[in-house]
Amino acid sequence: MAPARPTRSRSGALCRQLLLTLTILTFTCDACRKVILHVPSQLDAEKFVGRVNLKECFQSANLIHSSDPDFQILEDGSVYTTNAVLLSSEERSFTILLYDTENQEEKKILVLLQHQTKVLKKRHSKEKVLRRAKRRWAPIPCSMLENSLGPFPLFLQQIQSDTAQNYTIYYSIRGPGVDREPKNLFYVERDTGNLYCTRAVDREEYDSFELIAFATTPDGYTPELPLPLVIRIEDENDNYPIFTETTYVFTVSENCRVGSTVGQVCATDKDEPDTMHTRLKYSIIEQLPAYPTLFSMHPTTGVITTSSSQLDREVIDKYQLKIKVQDMDGQYFGLHTTSTCIINIGDVNDNLPTFTRTSYVTSVEENTVDVEILRVTVEDKDLMNTANWRANYTILKGNENGNFKIVTDPKTNEGVLCVVKPLNYEERPQVNLQIGVVNEAPYSKEASSRSVMSTATVTVNVKNQDEGPECSPAVQTVQIKENVPAGTKSNGYKAYDPETRSSSGIRYKKLTDPKGWVTVDENEGSITIFRSLDREAESVRGGIYNITVLASDKDGRTCTGTLGIILEDVNDNGPVIPKRTVVICKTVMSSADIVAVDPDGPMNGPPFDFSLDSDADSDIERKWRLTKINDTAARLFFQEDLPFGTYRVPVRVTDRHGLSFISPLNVMLCDCVTENDCTLRTDARTGHGVVRLGKWAILAILLGIALLFCILFTLVCGGTGTAKQPKVFPDDLAQQNLIVSNTEAPGDDKICSTNGFTAHTVGSSAQGICGTLGSGAKNGGQETIEMVKGGHQTLESCRGAGHHHTLDSCRGGHVDMDNCRYTYSEWHSFTQPRLGEKLHLCKQNEDHVPSQDYVLTYSYEGRGSPAGSVGCCSEKQEEDGLDFLNNLGAKFTTLAETCMKR
């Protein structure tokens, strides 16, 4: 960056120009490139002059230096003035020195500045020479600086056509900036082809113009093709970079590491991209509070990071930065803007909560519950109402019985100590607790640096109360044998005064006694047997009979306890057989199993002995026999072939101590398979009973009757519908034919109707097509023709008068033929018009014109034949009989003989 120099004297300027000229003459011979820039006669300081492509000489140069101190060269080749420059002469030049320190290589670029008036003179002077030389009608590179100060119209370029040597050429242009918006910005002189700009142009609005140049003769002839002409607008650094936001707000956690990212700022510049005009550099101008410096900014990306780890929210919770962005890569003459960045310091749990006191003393009355007895407070420097500030209290020692709990008041963050289980002064008159506190959020620093929990001690003094009687334990027991005589006394329930540990002065009262077996002494609480105790009663569970006792003192304070009377078992119940009815299915079994139970306890129960009681009947042992299965069961057998019936068999069961009980059994000998069959049937084989039908049997009978009615109704309706069905001729009756069967031997007694027609004579015998027609009774010689639709069917002959004729399918099916039987007159009246229509159509061709070749001459069938040649078909209408077959003429004699037997 060249420093600004004071204005030199005129003589110093001449010396400087002389030295510059000598330098140009020295370096011109070895310059790698020569660049000509057209500039106005006067240039202001820090003014953009033009751009030089440095990469054509050097891909990368470490040092870029200008031989003229009035000009500065940037990295992208942009040329700027460092001082105000006045071109006294028409031309000025300087050299750009490029040096690569790594390769020790140096190159030079010669920059020639020409005044625009000299350019015009040179171009006019060359016009005559160009007219003599051949020129090209081709695109010419053209550019102009945005926001140019003129003078306007500003000459830009000259277009020429080679045809101007032979013709008078008029030049014209079209396109944006001429006849399209922005209109009248450019124009061309018709005769010379000089292109001018009429006013300044903003590159941010129009970065280039694509014009079309035309060369025409006065008479409209176009000797040249339209010429594309692009005018590029050179950028000037006339736009300030602008931050995307007026104020940036970021948050960073306290105590974060050096280099932690705070945020990123961004700015935009409307100037031409990828140039020095848009190369931005960010920086921090000011920090509040200023000390210590905690933040830094990357000059290219705008990322703000921490430069110190001393951020402490509890000291300063907010910082404000004034930031700047400057183009021209941050050089002093670049344009810049500023913005504000506010950085909030986020809280972390770096401060432990601490109790305001190390010890507390409180008191509570005994036997109270769900009461608040103490509030403790803590201090925490972290941000209020956050997890880093909210406290969690806990009881560390002294609460082994669970009498206390401590919770946090969400509004004040205090610890509230409560009693949740009553205290007993007689047991513990004083309780010492140790409590601790931590935050909801985990502590952020190392735990080894200091304790992560603050603790305090709480002394709770229990106040004594004048209490009523205490029923402790709540359930007391006494042991009494069952069946003791009434009036027997025993110990009862005892309550005591917790103050004196004595039972004196306490009165007792019975609250519940399910069977009313005992009474309770009012002063001592002892019990007296009022009724006989039975261990086997329903209200006794597990051998224990429970009563409830109320104890009260002189002040009326009471407590309630339960007295459990344990009843000792006495062998007062003999074993019995619960199932008194026994069924023996005599056909499949000869015995039955019986089981006995004893209501007494196991010591007075099994093993049992089973025996037959023969005192009532001496024949019991002859008819029945018992065998023991196990300690509680036996098997009963019948020993004689007893008849079916019910028998009474008394069985004696004796327990281990000799106490017995006779259970009379009703034994049923039954002719059955299972016991249910015997108990549900009514049969004389058991001697008594009633026959009963189950509901499912009755339902099955009703359904069977309903099914029979449905079948009968279906048969009746079906027969009626068949009798009333009218006779209908088959639709394809006219298409039926008689086909001669070349049967060489007699066939079955069936007539196969191969194509639908079968004729037979009632009461006569005839030879059929495929077999023989059996003879039948004559019934007036009525002749009928049966017309059957469909093939492969046979007509079975029914021998005997009045038999029903049916058509059996050759495949085994049976079809009723009553509805398909018609007289000859009916058949003739139906087929005659249809056959005539068919024959008439057969005589015509496709165009419905009579065909000439329809009547065909049949060949001679041999000498001696009674029939001549067969021509057209003819038939005779007769009402009854088949005698018309004899009068059909010689043509149908053979056919008639084939169809029927004379």
Side-chain angles (χ1 to χ4, degrees):
M1 184 180 299
R5 299 187 178 182
T7 306
R8 298 170 179 262
S9 62
R10 187 175 298 273
S11 60
L14 292 176
C15 294
R16 188 181 62 183
Q17 266 195 333
L18 180 59
L19 292 175
L20 179 60
T21 304
L22 293 176
T23 304
I24 292 173
L25 294 177
T26 303
F27 292 111
T28 300
C29 58
D30 57 350
C32 69
R33 188 183 176 198
K34 180 180 178 181
V35 178
I36 300 176
L37 300 178
H38 303 149
V39 297
S41 59
Q42 184 175 357
L43 296 174
D44 297 331
E46 299 180 1
K47 183 72 174 178
F48 176 73
V49 178
R51 184 174 289 107
V52 179
N53 190 357
L54 303 180
K55 293 185 179 181
E56 293 185 359
C57 292
F58 246 135
Q59 289 296 327
S60 62
N62 301 101
L63 297 177
I64 303 174
H65 182 66
S66 172
S67 61
D68 190 341
D70 290 336
F71 298 92
Q72 180 183 8
I73 312 300
L74 302 183
E75 294 179 1
D76 62 345
S78 301
V79 181
Y80 284 84
T81 59
T82 56
N83 303 309
V85 177
L86 180 62
L87 297 182
S88 58
S89 61
E90 295 179 350
E91 190 173 86
R92 183 172 177 176
S93 61
F94 61 92
T95 304
I96 301 175
L97 301 179
L98 305 175
Y99 187 73
D100 187 356
T101 56
E102 294 182 1
N103 300 325
Q104 299 295 321
E105 186 178 359
E106 178 181 310
K107 290 188 179 180
K108 306 171 184 177
I109 298 176
L110 179 61
V111 179
L112 183 61
L113 303 179
Q114 291 185 355
H115 194 278
Q116 291 178 351
T117 56
K118 182 178 180 182
V119 174
L120 292 176
K121 291 180 180 179
K122 286 185 177 181
R123 287 180 178 173
H124 287 300
S125 63
K126 289 181 179 180
E127 285 181 0
K128 295 181 181 180
V129 180
L130 292 175
R131 290 192 186 125
R132 292 193 297 266
K134 184 177 182 180
R135 298 179 60 86
R136 298 179 60 191
W137 178 256
I140 304 173
C142 183
S143 63
M144 66 174 293
L145 187 65
E146 73 166 327
N147 302 325
S148 176
L149 300 178
F152 296 103
L154 179 64
F155 174 77
L156 298 179
Q157 190 58 270
Q158 184 182 29
I159 55 176
Q160 285 281 332
S161 174
D162 298 338
T163 60
Q165 299 176 5
N166 303 322
Y167 303 96
T168 300
I169 298 299
Y170 291 162
Y171 299 98
S172 62
I173 56 175
R174 294 180 183 175
V178 181
D179 53 354
R180 286 185 291 171
E181 293 295 332
K183 294 183 178 180
N184 302 323
L185 180 60
F186 303 101
Y187 72 92
V188 65
E189 290 183 347
R190 188 188 66 172
D191 298 326
T192 62
N194 293 333
L195 180 64
Y196 292 92
C197 178
T198 60
R199 59 184 181 272
V201 181
D202 186 3
R203 192 209 65 84
E204 285 69 43
E205 186 176 3
Y206 304 101
D207 57 352
S208 65
F209 295 90
E210 296 182 1
L211 307 180
I212 303 296
F214 301 92
T216 58
T217 60
D219 56 356
Y221 172 67
T222 305
E224 298 282 4
L225 294 175
L227 176 65
L229 182 60
V230 179
I231 302 176
R232 192 171 66 88
I233 307 302
E234 295 286 347
D235 184 43
E236 183 183 20
N237 191 21
D238 57 341
N239 289 279
Y240 285 81
I242 300 175
F243 281 102
T244 56
E245 297 182 20
T246 56
T247 302
Y248 292 89
V249 179
F250 301 116
T251 300
V252 63
S253 299
E254 61 177 331
N255 301 326
C256 62
R257 296 181 179 179
V258 176
S260 300
T261 300
V262 178
Q264 184 178 14
V265 298
C266 183
T268 59
D269 197 324
K270 295 182 180 179
D271 288 325
E272 186 175 359
D274 301 325
T275 64
M276 294 296 293
H277 299 164
T278 55
R279 184 174 296 181
L280 307 180
K281 181 169 288 187
Y282 302 90
S283 60
I284 299 176
I285 303 175
E286 184 181 12
Q287 172 186 306
L288 295 176
Y291 184 81
T293 302
L294 301 175
F295 305 98
S296 62
M297 177 179 284
H298 194 280
T300 305
T301 61
V303 175
I304 302 174
T305 56
T306 58
S307 59
S308 175
S309 60
Q310 298 179 1
L311 292 174
D312 191 350
R313 191 204 65 84
E314 287 73 35
V315 177
I316 300 175
D317 61 351
K318 182 187 297 183
Y319 292 88
Q320 181 173 327
L321 304 180
K322 185 177 182 182
I323 56 177
K324 180 183 75 170
V325 61
Q326 190 170 13
D327 60 13
M328 302 302 295
D329 201 19
Q331 299 190 55
Y332 70 94
F333 53 84
L335 304 179
H336 68 274
T337 55
T338 60
S339 181
T340 301
C341 179
I342 297 176
I343 301 177
N344 296 317
I345 308 303
D347 183 46
V348 296
N349 190 19
D350 57 344
N351 292 279
L352 290 173
T354 57
F355 286 103
T356 56
R357 295 170 57 184
T358 59
S359 62
Y360 299 88
V361 177
T362 184
S363 61
V364 62
E365 292 185 355
E366 64 174 336
N367 301 323
T368 57
V369 67
D370 295 331
V371 293
E372 175 185 326
I373 62 174
L374 179 66
R375 280 180 174 260
V376 296
T377 58
V378 294
E379 292 180 349
D380 197 327
K381 296 180 181 179
D382 291 321
L383 186 62
M384 293 181 61
N385 298 321
T386 64
N388 301 327
W389 174 80
R390 286 190 290 268
N392 279 341
Y393 299 90
T394 183
I395 301 175
L396 302 177
K397 294 179 182 179
N399 193 32
E400 288 77 11
N401 295 330
N403 298 100
F404 304 93
K405 76 172 182 180
I406 187 168
V407 295
T408 304
D409 188 336
K411 296 181 179 180
T412 62
N413 207 34
E414 293 176 326
V416 181
L417 184 63
C418 303
V419 177
V420 294
K421 185 178 179 181
L423 296 167
N424 192 336
Y425 173 82
E426 288 73 25
E427 294 179 358
R428 295 178 66 185
Q430 188 180 77
V431 181
N432 294 318
L433 302 176
Q434 184 183 22
I435 59 176
V437 62
V438 294
N439 290 123
E440 289 184 2
Y443 188 56
S444 62
K445 293 184 179 181
E446 296 295 334
S448 59
S449 62
R450 53 183 295 194
S451 175
V452 295
M453 179 179 290
S454 176
T455 60
T457 59
V458 179
T459 301
V460 181
N461 296 317
V462 181
K463 295 180 179 181
N464 188 23
Q465 284 185 340
D466 186 10
E467 302 171 287
E470 182 175 343
C471 296
S472 179
V475 178
Q476 300 177 16
T477 59
V478 295
Q479 192 167 351
I480 305 176
K481 288 186 178 182
E482 66 172 333
N483 298 331
V484 296
T488 303
K489 291 186 177 181
S490 177
N491 295 329
Y493 192 90
K494 288 293 183 181
Y496 63 92
D497 187 350
E499 306 295 334
T500 62
R501 310 303 294 180
S502 173
S503 299
S504 61
I506 297 178
R507 296 181 178 275
Y508 303 91
K509 179 181 179 182
K510 182 177 68 172
L511 293 180
T512 60
D513 182 6
K515 292 291 185 178
W517 285 346
V518 297
T519 59
V520 177
D521 185 84
E522 182 181 6
N523 298 320
E524 297 180 356
S526 60
I527 61 174
T528 302
I529 304 304
F530 182 71
R531 292 189 180 93
S532 178
L533 302 178
D534 187 4
R535 180 181 174 277
E536 289 73 36
E538 294 181 357
S539 58
V540 178
R541 296 290 183 268
I544 300 177
Y545 181 70
N546 293 321
I547 64 172
T548 305
V549 178
L550 177 68
S552 60
D553 60 7
K554 59 182 180 180
D555 296 328
R557 289 171 293 194
T558 63
C559 68
T560 303
T562 300
L563 179 64
I565 303 174
I566 301 175
L567 299 177
E568 297 180 5
D569 186 34
V570 176
N571 191 19
D572 57 345
N573 294 282
V576 297
I577 300 174
K579 185 178 180 181
R580 297 300 179 92
T581 301
V582 179
V583 178
I584 299 177
C585 292
K586 186 177 179 181
T587 57
V588 295
M589 57 195 303
S590 62
S591 64
D593 295 339
I594 56 178
V595 179
V597 295
D598 194 332
D600 292 328
M603 299 302 297
N604 299 317
F608 300 143
D609 289 333
F610 296 86
S611 62
L612 297 173
D613 184 19
S614 59
D615 296 340
D617 188 357
S618 59
D619 294 336
I620 289 297
E621 294 183 353
R622 182 176 56 85
K623 297 178 181 179
W624 306 94
R625 177 170 55 89
L626 279 173
T627 60
K628 188 174 182 179
I629 300 175
N630 52 36
D631 292 345
T632 60
R635 184 166 292 152
L636 178 65
F637 293 88
F638 61 89
Q639 299 188 121
E640 296 181 356
D641 187 12
L642 301 176
F644 297 116
T646 302
Y647 299 87
R648 186 176 184 275
V649 179
V651 177
R652 180 186 297 273
V653 185
T654 306
D655 62 17
R656 64 169 60 190
H657 297 296
L659 184 63
S660 63
F661 185 81
I662 299 175
S663 299
L665 303 181
N666 294 322
V667 181
M668 299 175 61
L669 285 181
C670 183
D671 184 11
C672 60
V673 178
T674 63
E675 294 184 10
N676 293 333
D677 295 341
C678 185
T679 57
L680 294 178
R681 79 165 66 187
T682 299
D683 199 332
R685 291 173 292 182
T686 60
H688 59 85
V690 180
V691 176
R692 291 179 296 176
L693 292 177
K695 58 181 181 181
W696 295 109
I698 297 173
L699 180 62
I701 294 173
L702 294 177
L703 289 176
I705 295 173
L707 181 61
L708 291 176
F709 274 110
C710 291
I711 295 174
L712 181 61
F713 180 76
T714 303
L715 294 175
V716 172
C717 293
T720 304
T722 304
K724 294 182 179 181
Q725 186 175 4
K727 293 189 289 184
V728 181
F729 289 102
D731 294 339
D732 57 347
L733 182 61
Q735 299 179 3
Q736 309 300 321
N737 301 291
L738 291 175
I739 299 177
V740 178
S741 176
N742 295 327
T743 304
E744 298 180 359
D748 300 332
D749 292 339
K750 294 176 182 255
I751 298 176
C752 295
S753 177
T754 59
N755 204 12
F757 284 101
T758 302
H760 72 279
T761 304
V762 178
S764 63
S765 177
Q767 179 68 34
I769 297 176
C770 299
T772 59
L773 182 65
S775 61
K778 294 184 180 180
N779 190 16
Q782 176 67 36
E783 297 178 357
T784 63
I785 293 179
E786 294 182 354
M787 292 168 286
V788 183
K789 184 176 181 180
H792 305 288
Q793 296 176 342
T794 62
L795 180 65
E796 292 185 355
S797 63
C798 299
R799 306 182 186 276
H803 282 200
H804 183 69
H805 290 257
T806 60
L807 181 66
D808 281 350
S809 173
C810 293
R811 298 179 180 178
H814 181 76
V815 181
D816 192 353
M817 287 296 298
D818 286 345
N819 295 332
C820 299
R821 181 178 298 173
Y822 306 96
T823 62
Y824 170 76
S825 58
E826 292 174 335
W827 175 81
H828 184 275
S829 61
F830 180 80
T831 58
Q832 182 65 24
R834 287 171 173 78
L835 289 176
E837 181 180 358
K838 294 288 184 180
L839 292 175
H840 177 71
L841 294 176
C842 289
K843 296 179 182 181
Q844 300 178 356
N845 55 16
E846 296 178 355
D847 299 331
H848 303 285
V849 178
S851 178
Q852 300 298 328
D853 58 349
Y854 176 75
V855 180
L856 301 178
T857 304
Y858 287 82
S859 298
Y860 181 69
E861 295 182 357
R863 180 176 294 182
S865 174
S869 298
V870 180
C872 61
C873 297
S874 63
E875 56 182 277
K876 179 180 179 181
Q877 300 182 6
E878 294 183 2
E879 291 294 333
D880 299 320
L882 295 177
D883 295 337
F884 71 96
L885 296 175
N886 299 329
N887 303 321
L888 291 177
K891 299 179 180 179
F892 281 88
T893 301
T894 304
L895 180 61
E897 290 178 355
T898 303
C899 294
M900 67 179 296
K901 183 178 180 182
R902 293 184 182 275

